[in-house]
Amino acid sequence: TRRHLTLGVLLGALLAAGSAQAQTVTRGPYLQIPTPNSIIVRWRTDVPTDSRVVIGAAPGSLSTTFDDAASTVEHEVKVTGLAADTRYYYSVGSTTAALSGDDASTYFRTSPTPGTVRPVRAWVIGDAGFTGADLNAVRDAYTAFNAGNDTDLFLLLGDNAYTFATDAEYQAAVFDAHGPLLRKV
């Protein structure tokens, strides 16, 4: 019985070690449904984990945490209680590790309050579902034209992933091709 107990403890330790896999962000982060006081942050991981978004006023100074305890690979965290028309830097990960962000290129700006009048910079594209030189040229031309200004809206009109609209095609044509923009617009 002592031998069985020792084997059981050893087997349990081996199973636990085998399930402690490295976590990697495989999609995103990307943003959805901005309002004056909230935004949804999404990302995908290679293994199921809980979800954490940490925000702050500057990279390296993130201090406000938003958690979701559900274990998933498709993470979606609503960040609330924000000030309107304000830039926030953020990181994504699990409650045990930040996996992406907390740098100068990972931020979002909340929407202005309704009725605010100010210029809006939007990039609107359609039929951009084929990856390669043409898609890259359009993206790079917008980036050059934009000259480091913030984009307020990135609108995809459709036909975003050719030929069969598979997850892999969306990954390549949307999330890989536009990742740096999607993490902040």
Side-chain angles (χ1 to χ4, degrees):
T1 59
R2 180 181 166 122
R3 185 171 149 201
H4 288 104
L5 180 60
T6 303
L7 286 173
V9 169
L10 179 60
L11 180 59
L14 288 172
L15 287 173
S19 66
Q21 302 171 358
Q23 301 165 15
T24 303
V25 174
T26 60
R27 176 177 288 176
Y30 59 101
L31 306 168
Q32 293 182 329
I33 313 176
T35 74
N37 57 17
S38 68
I39 196 162
I40 294 175
V41 181
R42 297 200 56 180
W43 69 100
R44 179 184 286 175
T45 52
D46 59 338
V47 296
T49 67
D50 58 5
S51 306
R52 172 169 282 175
V53 175
V54 185
I55 66 167
S61 298
L62 308 184
S63 59
T64 304
T65 302
F66 298 85
D67 291 337
D68 184 341
S71 185
T72 184
V73 296
E74 295 291 346
H75 304 270
E76 181 176 330
V77 175
K78 186 169 187 178
V79 177
T80 60
L82 305 174
D85 203 13
T86 302
R87 180 182 285 197
Y88 292 92
Y89 293 85
Y90 70 97
S91 69
V92 300
S94 68
T95 56
T96 60
L99 302 176
S100 179
D102 195 9
D103 57 43
S105 65
T106 307
Y107 62 88
F108 60 84
R109 180 175 291 280
T110 52
S111 301
T113 56
T116 300
V117 177
R118 69 171 175 86
V120 173
R121 185 171 296 257
W123 186 34
V124 181
I125 61 173
D127 297 317
F130 285 119
T131 59
D134 290 342
L135 178 61
N136 294 345
V138 170
R139 179 202 57 220
D140 296 346
Y142 174 76
T143 302
F145 169 79
N146 198 34
N149 292 303
D150 280 340
T151 301
D152 298 301
L153 173 69
F154 179 35
L155 182 60
L156 301 163
L157 297 176
D159 293 335
N160 303 322
Y162 295 121
T163 299
F164 299 104
T166 64
D167 187 68
E169 289 170 340
Y170 271 99
Q171 182 67 42
V174 176
F175 297 100
D176 292 344
H178 304 296
L181 185 63
L182 292 172
R183 69 180 40 233
K184 53 189 171 184
V185 177

